[in-house]
Amino acid sequence: MLFLSFFHDMAVPVVGDDLVSDLSLDASALGFMSSGFFVLYALTQPAIGLLSDRIGPERASAGALLIGALGSFLAVQADGFTFAFLGRIMMGTGLAAGFIPGMKLIAVMFRRKVFTTYNALFAGIGNLSCLVGTVPLTRLAATMEWRQVFAGLGVVSVLLAGSSWAFARMRSAHTMSATGPEREAVSWVSLLDVLRNRPLWFLGFFLFMKYGSQAAFQGLWGIPCLSSVYQVDSSSAARAVTMIATGYVLGAPVMGWLADTMAARGMDLFVARMSVLTKTTICYVLTWTPIVLAPGLLPFPAMYVLLFIMGICASSSSLVFAVAKDLFPSKVSGFVFGLVSLMYILGGAMVPPVVGWFTRLLAAQGLQGGVLYSKALIPCLVVAALALAFESMAKEANAKPFGASEHAE
C-alpha cells in the first residue's frame, strides 16, 4: 500500500502534460490537482488511526482503499477540472491508509521489545518507493494514456482492498479482540487524554522540524542548491540528493535493530530509543553545517557521503512512533500514530515554502547562485536544531511507557 500511495502521489507530475491538454487545465489547476491528494492524505491520518483502533487495521485499509479506487475511476471519467479534482481528493483520502494501519498491525502482531525493529523496517520499505517507484510509473505513462494509468491504479486499489479484508478474516478473533483487562485500561483513556499529553506533542514537533528540513532539501531545494554551488548539471545534483533516500532506506532497519539490541542487553527500552534519537539528531544537525554555513567547502564527491549520512540520521525518526505508542494503551495506538504522522506530513508541507520565501526575499536583495541557496537554507538548519530541542524536551518530560510491565513481553 505504501508503494501504491507513492504512485498516486507521483501520478499528476508524471502525466501532468496529458492532463493539461486533455482537460484544458492551467498551471494553477494542475497544482490544485497535485496538492489536493497531499492535503487530504495528511488531514485524514488521525481518522484512519482511530478507525484502525475501532474496527481493525485491515478493515480500515480495505474501506479506505475502496474510496481511493472510486476516486481513481471518477478521475477516469472526468471531462474537466471539477471531477478530476474530486477524484484526487478521494484518492488522497483512500491512500491515507497506506501507513498508519501498517504500523497498527505491527503493534498488534509483535511484542514491544521487537516492535522498534519491525516498525523501522516498515518505514524503510516505504521510503524505498521513493527510489524505485518513479521509473516504472514514468514508463507506464509513456505507453498508456493518463486515464488508463488512473484506471490501473484503481484496479490495484480494489485488489488490495480485497486482500486486506481477506487477511482480516483469516486472523484469529483473539488477536483482534481486547481481553477484559485491556478493556478496563481503555475505559479511562479518552481522545482528550491523548491530545493533552505534552510528551506526545514534543515528539510530534520533533518530527515536524526534522522531516520538514529533510523534505525541503530532498524534495525541492537540494538540486538547485548543489547545481549552483558546485556548477554541476541537474542530473548530477539529483544523484547526490538521492543519497538521502538511500541512507534512509538502509539506515531505518539498523536504527530499530540498534535500539532493540541495546534494550535486550539491559538498557531500558525508552532510554535506548531516546539515546539513539539524540545521537542521530545531533549528527543530523551537523550535516547541515557545511551546506548552510560553508557552501562549497567540501568537494562535490564528498557531498554524496554527507547526504548519505544525513539520510541515515534522518531515518531514526521512525523510532518516534515506537516511543509515542508506549505512552498509551494499545487500543488507542492507531490514533496516536495518526496524530504523529499528521505532524510529520505537515512538516514536509510547510518548511519547503518557508525556504522558497527566503529564496525570493534574498533574490530581491541581489543575491544569486550558491550564496543565494545556502542562505535560503538557513531555516533548515534552524528547524533541525529545534528538532533536537523538542527531542530533549520529550525526554525531560519523563515520558514513561504506559503499563510497561504489560508490554514487557
Side-chain angles (χ1 to χ4, degrees):
M1 281 187 61
L2 283 177
F3 274 79
L4 183 62
S5 297
F6 176 79
F7 282 145
H8 272 278
D9 189 25
M10 289 299 299
V12 168
V14 169
V15 301
D17 291 340
D18 294 334
L19 284 171
V20 168
S21 60
D22 196 10
L23 300 180
S24 300
L25 304 180
D26 55 20
S28 177
L30 190 64
F32 276 112
M33 285 276 293
S34 181
S35 63
F37 176 92
F38 189 82
V39 171
L40 267 294
Y41 185 98
L43 294 180
T44 51
Q45 292 294 299
I48 291 295
L50 186 59
L51 282 174
S52 297
D53 291 329
R54 296 292 175 86
I55 65 175
E58 306 98 322
R59 292 179 175 86
S61 294
L65 279 167
L66 289 178
I67 295 175
L70 289 174
S72 297
F73 297 139
L74 180 61
V76 169
Q77 301 299 320
D79 57 0
F81 171 75
T82 301
F83 285 105
F85 181 65
L86 180 60
R88 284 296 287 174
I89 288 177
M90 294 176 65
M91 292 178 213
T93 302
L95 273 298
F99 186 55
I100 301 303
M103 286 194 297
K104 174 69 178 181
L105 189 61
I106 293 172
V108 170
M109 295 182 65
F110 296 98
R111 293 175 293 177
R112 176 177 177 253
K113 65 182 181 180
V114 295
F115 172 82
T116 310
T117 297
Y118 287 100
N119 183 63
L121 180 62
F122 178 66
I125 292 173
N127 278 271
L128 182 62
S129 63
C130 298
L131 290 176
V132 304
T134 305
V135 173
L137 183 59
T138 302
R139 291 179 177 175
L140 185 66
T143 58
M144 303 172 64
E145 296 181 355
W146 70 268
R147 296 181 190 273
Q148 294 174 314
V149 171
F150 279 120
L153 293 175
V155 170
V156 174
S157 297
V158 172
L159 293 176
L160 284 177
S163 299
S164 296
W165 189 264
F167 185 69
R169 300 195 61 175
M170 288 173 57
R171 295 190 56 216
S172 58
H174 75 272
T175 302
M176 293 302 302
S177 301
T179 62
E182 282 180 323
R183 291 188 183 276
E184 292 176 3
V186 171
S187 65
W188 57 266
V189 176
S190 67
L191 300 183
L192 288 178
D193 293 320
V194 176
L195 294 172
R196 287 195 294 251
N197 187 277
R198 290 176 61 209
L200 177 66
W201 287 109
F202 289 150
L203 292 170
F205 279 109
F206 164 80
L207 281 182
F208 181 99
M209 301 296 176
K210 193 173 184 181
Y211 180 64
S213 56
Q214 175 194 342
F217 192 86
Q218 181 182 355
L220 192 58
W221 300 108
I223 293 176
C225 175
L226 295 181
S227 297
S228 300
V229 170
Y230 290 99
Q231 299 298 306
V232 297
D233 58 44
S234 59
S235 296
S236 298
R239 285 193 292 271
V241 171
T242 302
M243 296 305 295
I244 299 176
T246 304
Y248 196 110
V249 170
L250 297 178
V254 175
M255 295 299 165
W257 171 84
L258 180 61
D260 285 341
T261 299
M262 292 166 63
R265 293 178 178 176
M267 183 180 291
D268 179 81
L269 184 55
F270 171 79
V271 174
R273 289 166 174 169
M274 298 305 286
S275 176
V276 173
L277 271 177
T278 299
K279 291 178 173 60
T280 54
T281 304
I282 291 173
C283 180
Y284 177 76
V285 174
L286 292 176
T287 60
W288 277 104
T289 304
I291 296 173
V292 175
L293 302 181
L297 177 64
L298 297 177
F300 184 66
M303 291 301 298
Y304 280 77
V305 178
L306 180 73
L307 296 178
F308 181 73
I309 295 173
M310 177 184 284
I312 291 177
C313 295
S315 71
S316 66
S317 297
S318 60
L319 300 180
V320 170
F321 292 92
V323 175
K325 175 186 76 73
D326 284 349
L327 297 178
F328 305 95
S330 60
K331 282 298 176 178
V332 295
S333 60
F335 182 64
V336 172
F337 290 149
L339 288 177
V340 175
S341 181
L342 174 62
M343 295 297 292
Y344 183 85
I345 296 170
L346 287 179
M350 296 178 68
V351 176
V354 172
V355 176
W357 181 82
F358 266 76
T359 301
R360 292 192 298 272
L361 180 65
L362 294 171
Q365 296 175 358
L367 294 182
Q368 56 184 347
V371 176
L372 167 65
Y373 286 107
S374 61
K375 289 187 177 297
L377 287 168
I378 287 177
C380 291
L381 177 59
V382 172
V383 297
L386 286 174
L388 181 61
F390 277 111
E391 188 271 339
S392 299
M393 285 188 280
K395 184 165 53 178
E396 293 173 2
N398 295 318
K400 297 301 181 183
F402 174 88
S405 61
E406 169 195 348
H407 298 283
E409 290 295 325

